[in-house]
């Protein structure tokens, strides 16, 4: 799987992070609405470091969580991409797909459209991925709906090992979804997240 070349759809583009994206990336890591299902917020310095690390992962692995352009934006309006599942997760090893989007762009189908294109590339020959997972907090109905539209099947629920139960008990429980290559139908490129 190689995401170093941008993934372009009719209304979206998934690409490497650029200098012009730093403000948007910081907002994605700090905005209370965007981050309501995450237990941490990042400072500007931390966000800059993570953005640089995501580009380094892209160069090293061929895939990462990347910038999402949509709706004629001049800079990124979201994060979308794939990563190696962290070893602490109960379903590791594997590859996950994930996303976050600025609120002004919610409900327009951008995530579903761009994620479907990423899955197309990941499941394509000559070196296809066999399965991709996705997960979200049990209360994150919007992300769960995207997973279902893309053809993911609910697997098991789990407690996220990186979420501190003493300070954020409502964010601990997560739902895992799986999508096997043979179950992915490219015609699932639907709009309407």
């Amino acid at each position: 799987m190689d995401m170093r070349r941008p993934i372009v759809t009719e209304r979206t583009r998934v690409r490497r992070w650029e200098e012009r994206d730093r403000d948007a990336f910081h907002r994605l890591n700090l905005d209370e609405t965007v981050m309501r299902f995450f237990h941490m917020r990042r400072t500007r310095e931390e966000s800059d470091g993570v953005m640089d690390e995501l580009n380094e992962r892209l160069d090293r692995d061929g895939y990462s969580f990347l910038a999402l352009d949509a709706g004629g934006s001049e800079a990124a309006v979201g994060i979308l991409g794939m990563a190696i599942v962290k070893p602490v997760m109960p379903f590791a090893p594997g590859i996950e797909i994930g996303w976050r989007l600025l609120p002004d762009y919610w409900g327009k189908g951008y995530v579903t459209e761009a994620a479907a294109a990423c899955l197309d590339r990941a499941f394509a020959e000559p070196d296809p991925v066999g399965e991709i997972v996705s997960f979200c907090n049990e209360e994150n109905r919007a992300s769960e709906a995207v997973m279902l539209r893309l053809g993911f099947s609910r697997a098991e629920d789990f407690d996220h090992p990186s979420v501190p139960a003493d300070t954020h008990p409502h964010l601990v429980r997560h739902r895992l979804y799986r999508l096997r290559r043979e179950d992915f139908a490219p015609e699932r490129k639907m709009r309407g997240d």
Side-chain angles (χ1 to χ4, degrees):
M1 172 176 55
D2 190 345
M3 297 176 73
R4 286 174 281 218
R5 288 177 294 113
I7 297 171
V8 180
T9 70
E10 183 181 327
R11 304 178 308 142
T12 69
R13 184 172 184 241
V14 180
R15 59 164 173 83
R16 166 184 293 280
W17 293 100
E18 299 173 0
E19 284 302 312
R20 65 189 170 111
D21 300 315
R22 290 200 184 270
D23 288 342
F25 188 74
H26 178 56
R27 183 174 167 209
L28 283 160
N29 285 295
L30 188 65
D31 185 281
E32 290 298 322
T33 306
V34 174
M35 296 297 289
R36 72 184 178 278
F37 297 114
F38 295 82
H39 71 280
M40 64 181 167
R41 307 295 179 267
R42 290 193 171 101
T43 66
R44 177 58 186 255
E45 184 176 291
E46 291 168 334
S47 288
D48 285 348
V50 170
M51 191 175 102
D52 294 339
E53 179 189 332
L54 293 175
N55 278 341
E56 290 168 12
R57 279 194 221 167
L58 179 63
D59 293 337
R60 181 187 68 231
D61 301 331
Y63 55 95
S64 183
F65 291 114
L66 304 173
L68 172 63
D69 295 337
S73 60
E74 302 255 337
V77 300
I79 298 170
L80 195 141
M82 298 186 191
I84 296 169
V85 173
K86 293 180 181 175
V88 299
M89 300 303 271
F91 46 88
I95 296 175
E96 69 170 288
I97 187 170
W99 48 79
R100 269 186 275 151
L101 194 62
L102 293 173
D104 293 348
Y105 296 87
W106 289 359
K108 297 176 178 17
Y110 297 133
V111 168
T112 303
E113 185 176 329
C118 287
L119 291 167
D120 274 347
R121 184 165 300 171
F123 289 139
E125 299 291 350
D127 189 23
V129 173
E131 180 185 70
I132 294 174
V133 299
S134 193
F135 57 91
C136 63
N137 176 270
E138 65 182 353
E139 296 178 15
N140 190 344
R141 300 288 185 251
S143 278
E144 197 169 30
V146 172
M147 292 174 206
L148 291 170
R149 274 195 296 280
L150 292 167
F152 280 81
S153 297
R154 187 167 173 185
E156 63 267 12
D157 291 358
F158 67 97
D159 289 343
H160 198 300
S162 300
V163 177
D166 57 337
T167 57
H168 295 82
H170 63 292
L171 298 179
V172 173
R173 199 72 177 156
H174 279 63
R175 293 180 177 164
L176 175 68
Y177 283 79
R178 297 179 182 275
L179 180 61
R180 296 179 310 171
R181 178 177 181 243
E182 57 267 24
D183 296 330
F184 179 64
E187 65 271 10
R188 286 189 178 273
K189 293 181 182 180
M190 301 174 194
R191 294 186 181 159
D193 60 42

